[in-house]
């Protein structure tokens, strides 16, 4: 397994910077997700680790050894691409065993390792088929087996589940995570899907515009986002955001005056997650403008003095109807400086005495 270090690693194409100078350490055997929107630099970072791209500056180290000038095939890295990139003229057995052609492995040893990798991902019954005879999920498993057959020190997953339907994504998330725990291989997942990142990874690296916005557990990013961007990117349904003015421990948002952190002053943004809204009692009042039943939960759209507020309530049966006027409380909120977009504080909302 490998410990991965990036020291001031950057990637530029002419005047375009894809990844700003970045420092990062990924521990031996850790499962890390790089999360962010399209164009944030996550795939570029993965391709530099794979050896497909050469950093413009900085150093990449595997187990304290610099690999900037090491060819991709000599890095002992397994990679699963979004498109799977299987060879259509080869059988499953030949596709899985292909990376071993570049290693000094006997034919017998290569066959044994290919069959072992196939068993790990449960495609041992498909070894004589061609990719065109496989479903999307089966192709994904073959691509994963091909990445594992090298017994890599680092496994790279580039949006590996994006071509699968929702139910299969759920299954494969669990299977990939279980396989990583079993093998203990250092793994980096690149994704734009926050559910994939937060359910699969030990830590999540949230990127924006070529920079790392925050690194932490799923709980860190959800409850303690460092920035307005992270707060808005993590969470479903998305966080409610309201512009306001802070002074003397109070925040004015819309027609409401709220008691909050005394550290805040000037222009701020108040964030309230829909699941932090408690309907039926509390110091605030809102009118139900719309509701969205989701089976096991309901999302309400409330007209409030703050503005339009989304509230999520668990339960298969909706308790309130459109037009209902009801009290509510907010059990947790986040406050951000509007200029820097950095988090100032968090806590329950109250009406000032």
């Amino acid at each position: 397994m490998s410990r991965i270090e990036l020291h001031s690693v950057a990637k530029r194409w002419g005047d375009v910077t894809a990844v700003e100078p970045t420092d990062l350490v990924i521990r031996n055997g850790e499962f890390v997700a790089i999360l962010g929107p399209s164009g944030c630099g996550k795939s570029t970072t993965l391709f530099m680790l794979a050896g497909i791209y050469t950093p413009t500056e900085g150093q990449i180290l595997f187990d304290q050894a610099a690999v900037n000038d090491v060819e991709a095939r000599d890095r002992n890295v397994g990679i699963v691409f979004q498109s799977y990139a299987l060879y259509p003229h080869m059988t499953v057995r030949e596709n899985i065993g292909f990376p071993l052609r570049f290693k000094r492995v006997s034919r017998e040893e290569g066959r044994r390792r290919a069959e072992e990798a196939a068993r790990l991902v449960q495609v041992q019954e498909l070894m004589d088929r061609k990719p065109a005879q496989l479903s999307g999920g089966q192709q994904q498993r073959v691509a994963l087996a091909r990445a594992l057959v090298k017994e890599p020190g680092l496994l790279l997953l580039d949006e590996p589940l994006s071509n699968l339907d929702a139910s299969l994504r759920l299954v494969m998330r669990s299977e990939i995570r279980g396989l990583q725990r079993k093998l203990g291989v250092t793994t980096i997942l690149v994704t734009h899907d926050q559910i994939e990142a937060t359910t699969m990874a030990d830590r999540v690296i949230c990127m924006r515009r070529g920079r790392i916005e925050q690194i932490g557990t799923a709980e860190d990013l959800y409850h303690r986002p460092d920035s307005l961007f992270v707060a808005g990117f993590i969470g479903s349904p998305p966080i409610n955001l309201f512009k306001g003015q802070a002074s003397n421990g109070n925040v004015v948002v819309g027609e409401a005056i709220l008691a909050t952190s005394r550290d805040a002053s000037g222009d701020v943004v108040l964030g309230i997650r829909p699941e932090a809204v408690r309907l039926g009692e509390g110091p605030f009042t809102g009118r139900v403008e719309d509701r969205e039943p989701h089976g096991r939960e309901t999302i309400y759209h409330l007209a409030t003095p703050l503005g339009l507020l989304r509230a999520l309530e668990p339960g298969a049966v909706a308790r309130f109807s459109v037009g209902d006027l009801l009290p509510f409380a907010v059990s947790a909120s986040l406050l951000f400086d509007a200029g820097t977009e950095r988090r100032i504080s968090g806590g329950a909302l109250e009406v000032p005495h």
Side-chain angles (χ1 to χ4, degrees):
M1 305 312 113
S2 297
R3 172 185 169 91
I4 310 300
E5 298 176 52
L6 276 64
H7 297 299
S8 300
V9 170
K11 183 61 181 176
R12 300 185 181 90
W13 283 277
D15 296 332
V16 177
T17 299
V19 177
E20 300 282 356
T22 298
D23 294 298
L24 177 65
V25 174
I26 299 170
R27 297 183 289 270
N28 187 8
E30 190 175 21
F31 194 141
V32 168
I34 304 179
L35 173 69
S38 297
C40 73
K42 57 186 186 296
S43 289
T44 301
T45 302
L46 180 137
F47 292 154
M48 287 192 288
L49 290 168
I52 297 170
Y53 294 162
T54 301
T56 306
E57 62 185 66
Q59 269 200 328
I60 299 175
L61 282 74
F62 288 5
D63 292 329
Q64 300 183 325
V67 297
N68 288 39
D69 299 323
V70 177
E71 293 289 335
R73 68 182 183 182
D74 297 324
R75 289 194 183 191
N76 196 27
V77 170
I79 183 166
V80 178
F81 294 99
Q82 179 178 355
S83 63
Y84 312 140
L86 300 178
Y87 297 105
H89 63 286
M90 293 184 181
T91 64
V92 166
R93 177 179 285 103
E94 291 167 337
N95 265 286
I96 293 174
F98 185 79
L100 299 180
R101 293 186 179 186
F102 303 103
K103 293 181 173 288
R104 293 179 178 177
V105 174
S106 68
R107 180 173 297 181
E108 182 180 339
E109 172 68 6
R111 188 178 184 89
R112 183 194 66 77
R113 284 170 60 171
E115 290 174 352
E116 182 179 339
R119 281 194 298 272
L120 278 173
V121 300
Q122 302 172 43
V123 295
Q124 64 271 27
E125 306 297 328
L126 309 174
M127 296 294 270
D128 296 320
R129 294 190 187 182
K130 299 285 184 68
Q133 298 171 295
L134 305 177
S135 68
Q138 289 169 337
Q139 290 186 48
Q140 200 265 0
R141 291 171 190 268
V142 173
L144 185 57
R146 184 179 60 186
L148 293 172
V149 77
K150 295 167 60 176
E151 299 175 352
L154 174 63
L155 177 62
L156 302 175
L157 307 174
D158 182 27
E159 305 262 11
L161 308 182
S162 60
N163 292 333
L164 304 179
D165 61 48
S167 60
L168 190 51
R169 281 201 302 271
L170 182 64
V171 172
M172 291 308 301
R173 284 204 309 262
S174 176
E175 291 195 6
I176 290 174
R177 180 56 176 152
L179 190 59
Q180 190 274 337
R181 286 174 175 160
K182 177 180 179 180
L183 298 176
V185 59
T186 306
T187 301
I188 300 174
L189 165 72
V190 161
T191 181
H192 65 275
D193 186 321
Q194 59 165 305
I195 302 298
E196 283 181 20
T198 56
T199 57
M200 295 173 70
D202 301 316
R203 288 190 300 156
V204 178
I205 301 166
C206 193
M207 291 190 70
R208 179 193 189 195
R209 297 176 183 170
R211 297 179 183 272
I212 293 176
E213 283 277 313
Q214 186 173 352
I215 304 175
T217 64
E219 182 180 357
D220 290 333
L221 271 61
Y222 179 84
H223 292 291
R224 295 172 291 277
D226 286 346
S227 68
L228 194 57
F229 170 78
V230 176
F233 201 77
I234 300 293
S236 180
I239 192 170
N240 297 283
L241 298 173
F242 304 100
K243 294 180 179 179
Q245 280 278 332
S247 63
N248 301 320
N250 293 332
V251 173
V252 177
V253 178
E255 300 174 3
I257 300 176
L258 312 168
T260 184
S261 170
R262 294 188 179 276
D263 298 330
S265 63
D267 293 334
V268 294
V269 177
L270 175 68
I272 301 172
R273 295 203 181 276
E275 48 271 40
V277 180
R278 302 288 181 260
L279 301 176
E281 57 180 309
F284 308 108
T285 302
R287 184 183 301 278
V288 179
E289 296 290 303
D290 195 9
R291 68 181 190 185
E292 302 174 21
H294 286 255
R296 61 183 180 182
E297 61 196 21
T298 301
I299 298 174
Y300 295 94
H301 297 255
L302 305 177
T304 76
L306 302 168
L308 192 63
L309 177 73
R310 286 184 302 275
L312 184 148
E313 187 173 66
V317 179
R319 291 199 298 153
F320 306 105
S321 302
V322 172
D324 285 353
L325 191 66
L326 62 146
F328 69 90
V330 176
S331 61
S333 66
L334 298 164
L335 198 64
F336 301 88
D337 183 286
T340 64
E341 297 190 352
R342 308 307 291 178
R343 177 168 57 87
I344 301 169
S345 65
L349 282 187
E350 299 176 358
V351 176
H353 299 295

